[in-house]
Amino acid sequence: MKARTLKPTKVNVITLGCSKNTFDSEVLMAQLKASDVAVEHQGTGGDHNVVVINTCGFIENAKQESIDMILNYAKAKDQGLVEKVYVTGCLSQRYGPELQAEIPQVDAWFGTRDLPRLLKTLKADYKHELVGERLLTTPAHYAYFKISEGCDRKCSFCAIPLMRGKHVSTPLDQLVQSARQLAANGTRELILIAQDLTYYGLDLYGKRNLNELLARLSDVEGIDWIRLHYAFPSGFPMEALDVMKERANICKYLDMPLQHGSSSVLKRMRRGITQEKTERLVDDIRERVPGIAIRTTLIAGFPGETEAEHEDGLRWIERMRFDRLGCFTYSHEEDTHAFTLPDDVPFEVKQERAHAMMELQGGISFELNQAKVGRTCRVLVDKAEGGFYHARTEHDSPEVDNDVLIPTAAGHLRIGDFAEVRITAAREHELEAVPVQG
Ligand code: SF4
């Protein structure tokens, strides 16, 4: 077998998990490119000799997916198909030492805040002047925009603070500079992400400062949509909604994981909020920003969850009529507080309850979508596929929300451009539309 060089010929970056990992991979790739290290993302060709796997360690399924990917490349290394395998991200942060013993083919393990060391290992320099720069892996017209790292909350089921550490806000000026760079490169939609978006600024400015950040980002020329993900309910900075309401380029959209509708379950989850307070908050948000679309995420089968608590949660979903809803089955994560509770809801029951929530939401989503038939709206065109343009309204985030399908035969639209369309048909999680002739 031909001896291989030490310097990477090409680095293949594999990203697993959430949009925050996507962001981190994009930062890594920009740094590598700036050091003239060839790089690709999710490459499947054979022309790379080094692999960096950016892993997820959130819940059981995600951990297994990361381990399978590592084992896949460990095998490729044994077969001489790649020379070096490096692992970074949340799973590595959480289980690095244990996994190191089990998978010796991995050349090194890095944590979630180890970029300079990883770059050094890849024969690249960490360039401060590049802070905020990214090699986008999303279509150029939208970008995930991480405004802070880590989380100070104590939700009993969550291992994220163990992997991502304490909350650290990115300075406002740095974020505005990054937004300008992205806009200059053609990005039109910023999708704001964090572990806890609403905590922004508390560490740096001694106050919640999401409202000021939104106003500054909204002033960046070329940014047409700003979208908010991962808001935390208690202590919600209502003043941020006023900025959302007054600024046309801030989507009337809010993703706010609420985790459960039953007060007793919320208490055991250590969420610091009750069902009543959640309902009041959602009512206030809808009053403050008329027409806002609210997305939430819930957990089925938390320890001790009774049939009555589950039913209470279902009645709450019926009342709340969220625009978008996602659901996970509870995953028993060691080193979290909930791990001290018995994981006593059988897996089948967890799945049944998750299914019941999604089925209920499917009906709500269908009704809400039906009401949009005949209306005209502005959409952002993401791609053309299967005879349709796939687009989104301001109420839809990429990959998780509804698609607007526009027949390509109905007229030419440009990917990455906005278009006016009229809704012609609706299903649970999809709309059909035709372009409105200008
Ligand atoms: S706010 Fe989110 S990331 Fe933070 S502990 Fe709670 S669930 Fe985890």
Side-chain angles (χ1 to χ4, degrees):
M1 185 166 64
K2 189 164 99 25
R4 292 182 177 252
T5 63
L6 277 184
K7 182 166 173 43
T9 51
K10 184 184 257 187
V11 177
N12 185 15
V13 176
I14 306 287
T15 303
L16 300 165
C18 70
S19 53
K20 281 143 264 180
N21 256 14
T22 301
F23 182 97
D24 295 347
S25 289
E26 294 172 347
V27 170
L28 167 64
M29 291 169 38
Q31 289 275 352
L32 287 171
K33 193 168 175 232
S35 288
D36 299 323
V37 175
V39 64
E40 64 178 339
H41 191 241
Q42 319 287 52
T44 52
D47 61 345
H48 56 264
N49 70 331
V50 173
V51 177
V52 175
I53 306 166
N54 190 4
T55 58
C56 177
F58 182 39
I59 54 175
E60 204 46 48
N61 302 358
K63 291 192 284 188
Q64 195 52 54
E65 186 193 12
S66 292
I67 289 168
D68 293 346
M69 187 63 79
I70 298 168
L71 292 174
N72 173 39
Y73 279 102
K75 201 165 131 210
K77 188 177 173 200
D78 287 343
Q79 295 165 337
L81 300 172
V82 294
E83 187 163 329
K84 297 281 184 187
V85 178
Y86 299 110
V87 178
T88 186
C90 291
L91 186 84
S92 181
Q93 176 76 38
R94 192 170 173 195
Y95 300 108
E98 295 96 313
L99 291 170
Q100 189 163 10
E102 287 167 30
I103 316 176
Q105 293 93 332
V106 173
D107 295 275
W109 302 77
F110 300 87
T112 50
R113 299 193 187 187
D114 247 346
L115 181 59
R117 190 167 67 89
L118 173 55
L119 285 166
K120 193 157 178 266
T121 306
L122 295 166
K123 311 287 178 227
D125 310 317
Y126 178 67
K127 298 183 183 344
H128 275 288
E129 66 276 21
L130 287 182
V131 165
E133 283 212 24
R134 294 148 50 196
L135 217 52
L136 290 187
T137 61
T138 54
H141 58 272
Y142 71 80
Y144 293 107
F145 198 73
K146 189 163 84 172
I147 68 170
S148 63
E149 180 58 280
C151 185
D152 289 0
R153 304 274 179 183
K154 302 246 178 298
C155 307
S156 67
F157 53 83
C158 185
I160 291 173
L162 302 171
M163 301 179 283
R164 292 275 166 175
K166 283 285 181 199
H167 180 101
V168 180
S169 300
T170 305
L172 226 157
D173 291 342
Q174 188 183 317
L175 290 171
V176 172
Q177 180 51 29
S178 308
R180 287 199 184 111
Q181 271 159 354
L182 287 166
N185 297 336
T187 298
R188 307 187 71 175
E189 178 182 9
L190 296 179
I191 304 170
L192 272 51
I193 57 174
Q195 304 303 349
D196 174 1
L197 202 81
T198 43
Y199 212 86
Y200 182 77
L202 264 179
D203 55 323
L204 264 186
Y205 309 111
K207 62 177 179 164
R208 293 175 190 276
N209 209 11
L210 184 60
N211 56 325
E212 188 185 345
L213 174 62
L214 289 178
R216 297 273 307 272
L217 293 176
S218 164
D219 289 339
V220 173
E221 206 178 320
I223 297 296
D224 295 288
W225 273 358
I226 296 169
R227 187 178 301 282
L228 278 60
H229 271 263
Y230 303 105
F232 194 88
S234 68
F236 189 95
M238 298 304 275
E239 61 281 3
L241 297 173
D242 299 333
V243 184
M244 179 189 277
K245 187 176 175 194
E246 74 198 27
R247 302 287 182 121
N249 64 348
I250 302 180
C251 297
K252 306 307 173 262
Y253 176 95
L254 180 69
D255 166 53
M256 183 164 63
L258 292 166
Q259 311 302 356
H260 210 284
S262 146
S263 291
S264 49
V265 177
L266 287 167
K267 189 155 193 265
R268 296 199 301 281
M269 285 179 164
R270 295 184 168 190
R271 291 286 290 179
I273 196 164
T274 62
Q275 180 185 92
E276 295 69 30
K277 284 189 181 152
T278 306
E279 291 200 29
R280 218 172 310 133
L281 172 64
V282 171
D283 290 348
D284 290 351
I285 291 172
R286 284 174 170 160
E287 198 180 309
R288 206 120 167 189
V289 186
I292 189 171
I294 298 181
R295 152 172 272 280
T296 197
T297 309
L298 305 175
I299 293 177
F302 185 77
E305 185 189 67
T306 62
E307 192 52 37
E309 285 172 330
H310 170 58
E311 284 300 324
D312 185 19
L314 290 178
R315 300 293 77 74
W316 172 78
I317 292 171
E318 251 164 17
R319 287 196 303 279
M320 300 310 292
R321 292 181 69 76
F322 294 108
D323 302 85
R324 317 273 180 258
L325 186 148
C327 184
F328 291 97
T329 53
Y330 170 72
S331 179
H332 208 40
E333 295 301 318
E334 67 261 288
D335 303 324
T336 64
H337 175 266
F339 198 71
T340 64
L341 307 172
D343 182 15
D344 53 4
V345 180
F347 185 65
E348 306 67 46
V349 177
K350 285 178 183 161
Q351 285 189 311
E352 281 162 24
R353 290 178 180 172
H355 180 70
M357 288 198 255
M358 291 315 293
E359 203 169 44
L360 181 57
Q361 180 62 26
I364 293 168
S365 183
F366 181 74
E367 286 166 19
L368 294 171
N369 280 347
Q370 281 301 320
K372 293 179 181 151
V373 174
R375 289 193 206 154
T376 61
C377 61
R378 188 172 181 237
V379 295
L380 180 54
V381 183
D382 285 331
K383 63 183 178 184
E385 201 179 88
F388 289 91
Y389 293 108
H390 294 241
R392 288 174 292 116
T393 73
E394 72 169 311
H395 297 151
D396 298 299
S397 199
E399 296 168 39
V400 289
D401 292 330
N402 291 4
D403 249 358
V404 179
L405 302 179
I406 305 152
T408 49
H412 176 69
L413 299 176
R414 255 173 13 136
I415 309 295
D417 244 356
F418 288 91
E420 286 298 315
V421 300
R422 183 169 47 76
I423 310 295
T424 54
R427 289 180 285 278
E428 260 183 39
H429 302 299
E430 260 170 7
L431 299 171
E432 279 190 26
V434 291
V436 172
Q437 306 309 331

